[in-house]
Amino acid sequence: MKIGELVKRHGVSVDTLRFYEKQQLLNPSARSEAGYRLYNESDSKRLAFILRAKSVGFSLQQIRELLQIEDNKSEWQCADVKDKVQQKMQEIQQQMAELNRFHQALQQLDEACCGGPLSATECSILTALEQGQPARTEQHHHERTNNKEQIAC
């Protein structure tokens, strides 16, 4: 099958398929006399494997490693594949912990700022980012200046 048929079958773009070829994850089985890339059913299954591995979060390097195992199954053990999955799960858990820290820090910044219509010159979020310290909710307060109430957030 030609490249157009393969990309249509798998719902990817031609650019994506060519990118996988440049990354040496997939190679056309042959070329036509006119120079068109030709793919067979094995290539289609390989692309499906790549797309499924990508959909569960594996990086291109990790997919490359899984393909090496896939291509030489008899030389590997099931434990080797399971190790790859467990490493990926650990990586994702670390990313989730980092995202949680980001969320908590942003939540602190959000809660410390009133979000009012006044100038941002006294904004607690900008102050916290400038000083490299977490925003504190006590920075969100009302001040009286020149007998006018001004919100310093």
Side-chain angles (χ1 to χ4, degrees):
M1 74 188 88
K2 290 183 183 176
I3 195 168
E5 297 171 69
L6 186 63
V7 298
K8 192 179 290 186
R9 179 186 282 192
H10 292 280
V12 297
S13 70
V14 170
D15 288 339
T16 298
L17 191 64
R18 287 186 178 146
F19 177 76
Y20 291 153
E21 288 177 8
K22 286 179 187 172
Q23 296 298 311
Q24 299 179 341
L25 298 175
L26 180 70
N27 292 308
S29 346
R31 292 228 179 222
S32 70
E33 289 180 20
Y36 291 112
R37 294 171 170 94
L38 297 175
Y39 302 90
N40 60 26
E41 198 57 38
S42 176
D43 298 326
S44 180
K45 288 178 182 179
R46 188 173 183 91
L47 178 58
F49 182 99
I50 293 166
L51 295 173
R52 282 192 292 272
K54 188 175 181 301
S55 76
V56 296
F58 284 108
S59 70
L60 292 180
Q61 179 56 40
Q62 292 164 332
I63 293 170
R64 188 174 288 108
E65 293 168 6
L66 289 170
L67 285 169
Q68 288 173 350
I69 296 171
E70 172 70 12
D71 292 342
N72 301 294
K73 290 178 184 178
S74 63
E75 297 175 21
W76 296 87
Q77 296 179 354
C78 190
D80 298 320
V81 181
K82 185 170 179 141
D83 285 346
K84 301 275 184 210
V85 169
Q86 289 176 336
Q87 289 171 6
K88 187 63 184 180
M89 288 187 332
Q90 186 176 30
E91 181 183 316
I92 289 171
Q93 287 173 339
Q94 290 169 348
Q95 290 172 340
M96 288 171 40
E98 184 176 18
L99 287 173
N100 191 38
R101 286 191 300 276
F102 291 160
H103 184 266
Q104 289 173 353
L106 289 168
Q107 191 168 15
Q108 276 186 308
L109 290 171
D110 180 59
E111 290 172 357
C113 181
C114 67
L118 298 176
S119 167
T121 57
E122 299 297 323
C123 180
S124 62
I125 293 173
L126 295 177
T127 301
L129 293 173
E130 287 170 358
Q131 296 174 356
Q133 298 172 353
R136 290 177 271 141
T137 52
E138 59 265 16
Q139 287 177 310
H140 172 103
H141 59 279
H142 294 272
E143 295 180 341
R144 290 206 177 264
T145 309
N146 297 334
N147 291 330
K148 292 183 185 175
E149 189 172 286
Q150 181 181 14
I151 301 173
C153 58

